[in-house]
Amino acid sequence: MVEDTSGRLMIFRVLFFVIISAYIVRLFSMQILSGDVYLSRAHDISRRTYILPTQRGEIYDRNVTRPFVINRDAFAVTITPAEVPRGSMDNVIESVSQILGISQDDIRARLPNQYLQLYQPVEIASNLSFTSIASLAERKNNLPGIAWHIKPIRNYVNVGSLSHILGYVGDITRDELTTLYNLGYQQGDVIGKSGIERQYDSLLRGKQGWETRTVDSRGRRISSGRENVTRMLPEMGKNLVLTIDADLQLLVEKALGPQIGAAVVMRPTTGEILAMVSYPWYDPNIFTDGNIANFRVLAEDPSKPFLNRTIQSSYPPASTFKIIMTTGILAENAFSPEQTIVCNGVIRYGNRDWHCHYRPGHGRLNLIAALGQSCNIYYMTVGRDHLGTERIVSYARSYGYGEITGIDLPGEISGFIPTPQWKERRFHERWVLGDTMNMSIGQGYSLVTPLQMSNMVSMVVNNGKIYQPHVLKEVRDPETNVIESVTQHKVIHQSDLSPSIFESVRQDMRYVVSQGTAQYPLNIRTVQIAGKSGTAEIGLADRWHSWFTAYAPYDSTNPDDKIVVTVIIEASDFQVWRASASTAIIFQGYFAKQNYETAIRVLGFQAFAQE
């Protein structure tokens, strides 16, 4: 028995010696042989990476003299959820809410359940003042996980009616992140939500930098020594130069006035948008603090200030459609332009009376007089009996109606041009000649956007050619201001009609202003204008949509001198010439190089400004 016990004890001693020896060898290996490796790992474990936010590119007017969008520095507050002790999150949120004066619900909305175990900082407030941060710093020891940093904030300068062009930015949402993650977007990124900010976000956003620091267990920097900091500096986004003329934009904004509607000024030979106004507009600066309530107020406004009516609203073209009808009549030789039709103010068809806008009747008119006086009877008769539905539809589509223009702004709609086949599918009814009569005068089912109408006039000016509208002129390096790219002009429609047909249409459009319905107020001394008015019925006895679309100078031989102006005012309850008057002010101000106040004084429109 004694020998057995001694043997077991010997085995135990040997085993103990082997284990101790193994530990000694392992410790020697870790501390001496591999000490540098584990020291590096220890540093990695105690190092924390911070995002260095980049600045978005700035946006300028066409002359690069007026900044539309720049950046300014503000404070942002973040929370690292995993650093908040269990059960303390509600208390931290409540305290931060009280100190910063923001809603607890807004903070919680940025901290979904799947974020609560993250060691990554999540931004919960931005655009904060130094005073707010100072108040937060006083209670920092009671706010685990809370930190702050300087963050560049978008500053929209004297934005006014530019809001629909520029758009605004906001924090990336979970849905957006799901779609854009593979493009390098991350949680906490700021992203363009509308307008140019959204369309060219990839150019504007730049590239975030990062900094890795050595910290202790409480997240404090161990040393400020260079060896403890690794840094990659951010790259600023590209600067964008728009086609917008800042002075002209302000002129158009004032000419349209506080009337729900839209106005577009474009250069027909390039497609450049010189001014684009949609009323009402909004101030994108109110979104810089991430306050959801501001968005809700605007979203629920019945006047729809978020809506860019130049490209996102469509209306019956009314009598402006007679420009297309005139083109078809001339091109098809369906009815001689010298042949006349008698307008007695009304015709009987299909057991109903069809009225002209001038109830006493215009008498006998040929084509140029019919356009000049905007005679419904003439165009309804020729459309029904000579031109026909299919050809009317064909010419409308050749002018780009019924499809988007492809402008470099998000959200454009296509408008609509009906066909007999569409009506049968939609309403299970046959197309009748009464539909053709309605279509011939721009009523019925046809819908166009103000930008599409500007393209229509551009086609007349360019002898059958339409350039794609665009608002981006150049992309520039933010540091050197060197031009990196220029938007190329692109033809999107090319008619095979003879230039002589468009010359005749231009002459007829000039007749409208010189001797027709638009003599007042468009026949001004400063410049010769050619255009067409339109009054669209909306089903109310005392309200109409008021259109005017035109170009000038009519008599210039240089195509690059010309501009196209289109104005629409929705559901006017005043004189239907308001759109015409707004157009006259725009032409007067642009060609005489006058501001709004001078232009209305020269035109004698002082009473107009007081309405």
Side-chain angles (χ1 to χ4, degrees), residues 383-456:
R384 180 193 65 191
D385 299 339
H386 301 281
L387 199 55
T389 305
E390 297 299 331
R391 286 192 283 191
I392 295 173
V393 169
S394 175
Y395 280 99
R397 293 194 180 281
S398 73
Y399 271 100
Y401 282 6
E403 61 184 62
I404 62 172
T405 68
I407 188 173
D408 51 345
L409 287 173
E412 183 185 15
I413 63 173
S414 62
F416 185 69
I417 293 298
T419 64
Q421 295 79 10
W422 166 82
K423 185 184 178 185
E424 190 165 353
R425 289 195 306 269
R426 176 68 175 80
F427 298 107
H428 305 292
E429 296 177 358
R430 292 184 58 191
W431 185 277
V432 296
L433 290 179
D435 294 318
T436 304
M437 294 169 68
N438 258 333
M439 189 178 191
S440 299
I441 60 171
Q443 296 289 166
Y445 305 110
S446 298
L447 296 170
V448 302
T449 68
L451 184 59
Q452 287 175 326
M453 190 165 290
S454 294
N455 266 4
M456 175 193 71

